[in-house]
């Protein structure tokens, strides 16, 4: 299906992240997030990194920046798949595949530095029926760069993955 993703100023999830210093203040502006994704996508495409959707165009305007993209209608994220009730082993396998792709993303170089995802949650990884996974939603960046930003990506990813596993009952006590 054809989808138009709009970027809004002051998204409610980004405001506290900016206040805590986890995102640059520019992330409050829709135009900045659209330009960030527009900058990252061609670099990832040129490197052959598998994306969850096909980006057709970016429209950057001060009124309502947007990305026009195409992807399958039956969209399921890795987080959704895990929450639907998979075994602990299958959940760990999906998280491992997502982590491997995140590491691969970190090795892509663009404009003399490695890229980071900036928003590495399982809700930003698409699950495919064949068991493969692909990242999407590249509109965010960290306040740091280089190895520190990659470490931040990794820490956020691991923390969120553990939170999802625990909320699904896969880790019930400290011995699990």
């Amino acid at each position: 299906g054809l989808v138009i993703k709009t970027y809004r100023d002051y998204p409610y999830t980004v405001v506290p992240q900016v206040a805590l210093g986890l995102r640059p203040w520019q992330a409050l502006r829709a135009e900045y997030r659209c330009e960030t994704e527009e900058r990252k996508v061609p670099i990832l495409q040129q490197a052959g990194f598998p994306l969850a959707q096909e980006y057709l165009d970016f429209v950057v305007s001060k009124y309502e920046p947007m990305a026009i993209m195409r992807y399958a209608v039956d969209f399921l994220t890795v987080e959704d798949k895990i929450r639907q009730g998979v075994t602990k082993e299958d959940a760990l396998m999906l998280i491992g595949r997502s982590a491997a792709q995140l590491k691969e993303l970190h090795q892509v170089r663009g404009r003399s530095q490695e890229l980071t995802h900036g928003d590495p949650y399982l809700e930003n990884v698409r699950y495919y029926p064949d068991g493969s996974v692909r990242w999407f939603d590249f509109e965010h960046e960290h306040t740091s760069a280089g190895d520190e930003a990659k470490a931040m990506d990794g820490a956020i990813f691991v923390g969120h993955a553990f939170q999802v596993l625990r909320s699904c009952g896969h880790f019930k006590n400290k011995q699990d």
Side-chain angles (χ1 to χ4, degrees):
L2 189 62
V3 174
I4 297 177
K5 173 184 179 179
T6 58
Y7 303 84
R8 305 212 184 280
D9 285 332
Y10 306 107
Y12 70 93
T13 57
V14 176
V15 172
Q17 294 170 350
V18 169
L20 292 171
L22 300 174
R23 301 250 181 265
W25 67 267
Q26 297 93 328
L28 296 172
R29 291 183 26 250
E31 191 174 314
Y32 172 83
R33 291 191 319 282
C34 182
E35 290 170 349
T36 299
E37 194 158 22
E38 184 179 25
R39 177 181 53 79
K40 288 181 179 181
V41 167
I43 295 167
L44 293 166
Q45 288 171 329
Q46 187 175 19
F49 187 80
L51 299 174
Q53 68 272 350
E54 175 188 1
Y55 288 86
L56 302 175
D57 197 9
F58 286 90
V59 180
V60 181
S61 75
K62 63 182 178 180
Y63 299 107
E64 192 166 69
M66 62 187 80
I68 302 167
M69 57 187 83
R70 179 185 349 233
Y71 57 81
V73 178
D74 59 340
F75 197 91
L76 187 66
T77 68
V78 168
E79 182 172 348
D80 293 337
K81 181 68 177 170
I82 292 171
R83 290 189 186 282
Q84 283 181 351
V86 298
T87 66
K88 182 177 179 179
E89 292 73 25
D90 287 345
L92 291 172
M93 178 194 61
L94 289 171
I95 290 169
R97 287 181 184 163
S98 302
Q101 274 227 327
L102 184 62
K103 184 177 179 182
E104 185 180 325
L105 183 147
H106 287 164
Q107 294 169 354
V108 173
R109 296 189 68 78
R111 295 192 185 142
S112 77
Q113 69 178 29
E114 290 96 357
L115 294 181
T116 58
H117 187 277
D119 200 22
Y121 296 97
L122 293 175
E123 64 196 31
N124 291 329
V125 186
R126 182 173 180 185
Y127 169 80
Y128 289 86
D130 67 359
S132 63
V133 298
R134 292 185 182 183
W135 285 88
F136 66 97
D137 194 14
F138 298 95
E139 67 184 75
H140 291 288
E141 294 191 299
H142 297 296
T143 53
S144 56
D147 288 341
E148 187 177 338
K150 288 192 286 188
M152 205 172 205
D153 253 10
I156 292 168
F157 175 77
V158 169
H160 182 253
F162 181 74
Q163 179 184 22
V164 169
L165 288 169
R166 189 170 187 156
S167 70
C168 292
H170 292 303
F171 291 101
K172 295 180 182 152
N173 58 44
K174 293 179 183 179
Q175 295 166 337
D176 285 341

